[in-house]
Amino acid sequence: MRVAIAGAGAVGRSVARELIGNGHEVLLIDKDPDSIKPERVPNAEWLLADSCELSSLEEARLQHCDVVIAATGDDKANLVTSLLAKTEFGVPRTVGRVNHPNNEWLFTEAWGVDVNVSTPRIMSALVEEAVTVGDLVRLFTFRQGNANLVELTLPEDSPFVGKPSGLIPFPDNCALVTILRDGQVYTPDAEQPVEAGDELLFVVPADLEDQLERMLAPGTHGG
């Protein structure tokens, strides 16, 4: 997969290293010469250019990218980059970094953003997740699919503790994608049991969140 990242600061470089480590091709774009540091991510392509300019994105061959990540520290630049990537180059998937929470409402399909990532929201969600067991925590929203990535820490009194995930009657269109346990990541195949204290990550439509929460942790929610 070919991925272009607009913004070669600490965030952009960290994402680039992760993607390269997973076998993807990465192009880092930044208009600030001081940010062009190929030695920091030697396996990436680098381009000194303004991602808000059409000519720069043409030079980056954005039409050949599967994903564009707008990860600069400027929300306006991230919106413009996402919009150009989607409307002018037909990039299948765009991810926009939200720096200021007040701007989050702008990061929608109308601006070409498929997924928005708000650092303050994720940080607050992680704080909630650390102190709540049995409560569903929304991590972020997939705009295109009207679904959310959510986390729930399974309480000890859940009726499904010890049962294989394949035997749990999750709501329709609700997918268990990962089980986090003791610092390890487990693939939720049908025979993998869930245990008290497991952090379960789901992709679920917003209107089914309450149903999922009541099913997995009925004692916590009076059900």
Side-chain angles (χ1 to χ4, degrees):
M1 185 167 67
R2 180 173 170 79
V3 182
I5 301 175
V11 172
R13 294 196 303 270
S14 295
V15 173
R17 292 190 196 100
E18 187 77 17
L19 291 170
I20 290 170
N22 290 331
H24 302 297
E25 298 178 22
V26 174
L27 167 66
L28 280 161
I29 307 169
D30 205 294
K31 66 179 181 179
D32 182 359
D34 292 336
S35 294
I36 303 298
K37 299 177 179 179
E39 70 279 3
R40 298 284 184 93
V41 192
N43 293 323
E45 296 178 52
W46 290 77
L47 178 64
L48 176 60
D50 186 345
S51 65
C52 293
E53 295 183 0
L54 199 58
S55 58
S56 297
L57 300 182
E58 288 173 347
E59 184 179 356
R61 299 181 295 115
L62 232 63
Q63 67 272 19
H64 298 302
C65 290
D66 302 289
V67 180
V68 166
I69 301 173
T72 78
D74 184 338
D75 285 346
K76 296 187 295 296
N78 291 342
L79 285 171
V80 171
T81 299
S82 298
L83 185 63
L84 290 174
K86 182 66 69 173
T87 60
E88 299 296 327
F89 297 91
V91 175
R93 190 162 187 77
T94 58
V95 180
R97 173 189 176 189
V98 185
N99 294 280
H100 301 288
N102 290 343
N103 295 332
E104 189 171 356
W105 66 277
L106 286 166
F107 284 72
T108 65
E109 288 182 28
W111 276 95
V113 180
D114 293 320
V115 179
N116 73 59
V117 180
S118 171
T119 302
R121 170 177 285 189
I122 290 175
M123 291 179 68
S124 64
L126 291 173
V127 170
E128 291 180 45
E129 177 268 325
V131 298
T132 56
V133 174
D135 287 340
L136 185 145
V137 178
R138 183 181 297 179
L139 299 179
F140 65 85
T141 297
F142 299 97
R143 294 288 184 185
Q144 195 169 29
N146 296 316
N148 301 316
L149 178 68
V150 302
E151 183 272 350
L152 184 141
T153 300
L154 198 68
E156 293 182 357
D157 59 353
S158 171
F160 300 106
V161 169
K163 291 191 177 182
S165 62
L167 297 181
I168 300 176
F170 297 122
D172 291 341
N173 299 322
C174 173
L176 174 63
V177 294
T178 303
I179 300 172
L180 304 178
R181 179 187 304 149
D182 299 328
Q184 301 295 316
V185 178
Y186 293 89
T187 301
D189 58 59
E191 297 180 359
Q192 175 69 50
V194 296
E195 300 177 2
D198 282 356
E199 296 178 47
L200 308 178
L201 271 65
F202 297 88
V203 174
V204 59
D207 58 356
L208 294 178
E209 288 181 356
D210 289 344
Q211 180 183 342
L212 176 66
E213 188 176 31
R214 289 193 301 268
M215 185 191 79
L216 292 174
T220 307
H221 305 281

